[in-house]
Amino acid sequence: MPLKLTMQCSVEEDMVDGFPYEVPEEYTNMPLLKGRATVDMKVKIKENPNLQDCVFRIVLDGYNAPVTAGNFLDLVERHFYDGMEIQRADGFVVQMGDPEGPAEGFVDPSTGKTRTIPLEIMVAGDTAPVYGETLEELGRYKAQTKLPFNAFGTMAMARDEFDNNSASSQVFWLLKESELTPSNANILDGRYAVFGYVVQNEDYLADLKVGDVVESIQVVNGIENLANPSYKIVG
């Protein structure tokens, strides 16, 4: 797989007739990205006068993380992230997605409850992702993930350290180069769900500071691959 997921026109997309596997039944009614999508995230960078507004292009991979990518794209279409501030920028990751108020994730208006998604990891050689358990918990210590933390701008879901299935809306981007975080030889691969990569302006992620504002995230292409979009439901 190319390092920065620049495969919007990949052979895989050309060859797959429909989606290549079934998502487990308990997740089939969730928003699912059955393919790929591209979004542009516009961020107002306060402390860089030469780069006040920066647009990060992000490719979301629903072939290898349909539940995770679908959840994020659904929130993008709800404009959930628009106007939200960067909440962590420590030189290792940049993180955002924690809404104001007591909730630590997206509260679905139709249920009044926080929507959470399972940990979702696609292993190289497998035909479908594994759900709910880390590769370490499964004893698959030598398994290679299809979407590794191997690039500056790798995008993944944040979650409670002790609850694999607690991810909701908080996302983070890795700020380390691949030689410092070799694939499947770091503390992140197989423990956190990667679902995309920043493919344009990723270097500027390092300029983001806590308090910088995500002005908007807009879909560039691939919205037709989103199944079960909850944003179309009243509420």
Side-chain angles (χ1 to χ4, degrees):
M1 185 187 70
L3 189 64
K4 294 179 180 177
L5 241 178
T6 55
M7 53 262 202
Q8 293 96 317
C9 300
S10 69
V11 174
E12 182 180 12
E13 285 185 294
D14 294 337
M15 294 179 62
V16 172
D17 182 15
F19 200 64
Y21 56 85
E22 293 293 329
V23 172
E25 184 177 358
E26 59 264 44
Y27 311 130
T28 54
N29 292 326
M30 291 181 168
L32 304 172
L33 182 60
K34 293 189 172 183
R36 293 201 176 91
T38 304
V39 300
D40 280 348
M41 181 175 72
K42 183 179 180 181
V43 182
K44 188 172 185 62
I45 301 176
K46 296 179 180 178
E47 295 186 9
N48 189 335
N50 299 319
L51 191 72
Q52 291 188 351
D53 294 309
C54 186
V55 177
F56 299 95
R57 177 150 292 188
I58 305 168
V59 175
L60 309 176
D61 188 341
Y63 283 117
N64 293 302
V67 176
T68 312
N71 175 74
F72 178 78
L73 192 59
D74 185 69
L75 293 178
V76 167
E77 285 295 277
R78 284 178 171 269
H79 303 285
F80 176 82
Y81 297 105
D82 294 1
M84 190 170 288
E85 294 185 351
I86 298 298
Q87 293 149 347
R88 177 183 174 185
D90 57 10
F92 183 62
V93 300
V94 167
Q95 185 168 321
M96 65 102 176
D98 184 4
E100 293 183 0
E104 295 185 354
F106 166 64
V107 177
D108 190 334
S110 67
T111 64
K113 299 179 180 179
T114 300
R115 185 173 79 191
T116 57
I117 58 173
L119 178 64
E120 180 178 48
I121 305 291
M122 176 69 93
V123 175
D126 286 3
T127 58
V130 294
Y131 291 91
E133 294 181 278
T134 68
L135 296 188
E136 183 179 16
E137 290 168 345
L138 291 170
R140 302 183 68 176
Y141 303 106
K142 296 183 179 180
Q144 304 287 305
T145 57
K146 285 290 292 292
L147 299 179
F149 285 91
N150 69 349
F152 198 103
T154 300
M155 186 178 188
M157 291 300 299
R159 62 172 177 83
D160 186 297
E161 181 181 0
F162 302 105
D163 185 349
N164 295 339
N165 301 323
S166 59
S168 178
S169 61
Q170 296 186 49
V171 300
F172 67 92
W173 293 270
L174 183 70
L175 300 183
K176 295 295 182 182
E177 297 293 350
S178 57
E179 60 266 22
L180 298 178
T181 54
S183 299
N184 305 289
N186 57 62
I187 63 172
L188 299 175
D189 279 321
R191 295 183 180 180
Y192 291 88
V194 174
F195 64 99
Y197 295 85
V198 179
V199 297
Q200 289 182 15
N201 290 327
E202 62 272 16
D203 290 343
Y204 292 117
L205 286 168
D207 291 330
L208 298 183
K209 301 290 189 295
V210 172
D212 286 343
V213 177
V214 177
E215 294 185 323
S216 66
I217 306 180
Q218 297 182 334
V219 178
V220 177
N221 57 54
I223 192 61
E224 69 278 3
N225 295 326
L226 182 63
N228 311 321
S230 76
Y231 68 88
K232 291 186 177 181
I233 301 174
V234 175

